[in-house]
C-alpha cells in the first residue's frame, strides 16, 4: 500500500483569527477558502509541501453531530483539550523566538522531553494545542 497523510481538520471559532495565525504567524500558504452561508473552511499548508494540508473548519458541523456534541466540542476547544497538531522544525529555538515576538499563546517553552524529543507547545486562536518538535535534516544516502 502507498498511503500518505494528505489533510487533517482543525476546528476554528473565528475564521479570520485562525487565518491570521496559520498564514501570518506560522507562514503557511492559503490553498482554499470556502464559504457556505455563515460557515467557512480554509485550507492551509506549509509552503513547498503541497501534499500536506490543514483544513480549518467550523466545529461540530459533521453530519449527525448533535447539539449536545457541538456544545461539548466547543467547551473542550475552550479548554484546549479537543484537538492537537504536531509540527516540526529543524531549529526549534529560532522558531520559538519568532513565535514569542508575535505574541502567540505559549503553553510550554522548548523542553527536552524524557521520551527523547525536544519540543514546545502553544495554542492557536481556537484553543487547539500546537506542539512543535525539533527534527534533524534528513541525511542524503
Amino acid at each position: 500500500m502507498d498511503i500518505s497523510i494528505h489533510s487533517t481538520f482543525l476546528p476554528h471559532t473565528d475564521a479570520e483569527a485562525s487565518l491570521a495565525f496559520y498564514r501570518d504567524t506560522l507562514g503557511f500558504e492559503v490553498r482554499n477558502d470556502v464559504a457556505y452561508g455563515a460557515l467557512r473552511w480554509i485550507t492551509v499548508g506549509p509552503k513547498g509541501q503541497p501534499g500536506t494540508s490543514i483544513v480549518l473548519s467550523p466545529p461540530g458541523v459533521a453530519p449527525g453531530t448533535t447539539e449536545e456534541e457541538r456544545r461539548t466540542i466547543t467547551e473542550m476547544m475552550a479548554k484546549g483539550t479537543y484537538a492537537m497538531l504536531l509540527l516540526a522544525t529543524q531549529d526549534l529555538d529560532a522558531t520559538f523566538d519568532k513565535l514569542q515576538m508575535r505574541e502567540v499563546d505559549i503553553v510550554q517553552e522548548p523542553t527536552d522531553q524524557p521520551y527523547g524529543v525536544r519540543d514546545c507547545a502553544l495554542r492557536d486562536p481556537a484553543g487547539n494545542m500546537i506542539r512543535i518538535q525539533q527534527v534533524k535534516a534528513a541525511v542524503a544516502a
Side-chain angles (χ1 to χ4, degrees), residues 10-105:
L10 283 180
H12 71 73
T13 53
D14 179 334
E16 286 301 320
S18 290
L19 177 61
F21 176 80
Y22 285 94
R23 181 192 59 208
D24 305 334
T25 301
L26 295 184
F28 286 4
E29 61 187 13
V30 177
R31 297 182 178 153
N32 206 356
D33 192 339
V34 177
Y36 182 76
L39 306 176
R40 193 166 162 201
W41 287 257
I42 304 167
T43 304
V44 297
K47 293 177 182 171
Q49 298 177 41
T52 304
S53 298
I54 302 166
V55 181
L56 305 167
S57 61
V61 294
T65 304
T66 66
E67 194 54 44
E68 182 180 348
E69 291 168 331
R70 225 174 261 114
R71 198 172 27 258
T72 299
I73 291 168
T74 303
E75 289 170 1
M76 291 179 72
M77 288 173 65
K79 293 179 184 176
T81 59
Y82 183 69
M84 178 187 288
L85 180 66
L86 182 59
L87 302 175
T89 182
Q90 292 182 19
D91 189 341
L92 181 64
D93 293 303
T95 298
F96 182 78
D97 289 345
K98 289 178 185 173
L99 292 171
Q100 267 191 317
M101 288 189 295
R102 295 179 180 156
E103 300 181 16
V104 171
D105 182 8

Side-chain angles (χ1 to χ4, degrees), residues 119-137:
D119 69 355
C120 68
L122 51 121
R123 287 198 172 105
D124 76 4
N128 299 306
M129 181 70 70
I130 311 295
R131 297 198 74 89
I132 305 175
Q133 285 186 343
Q134 172 93 29
V135 294
K136 295 179 181 172

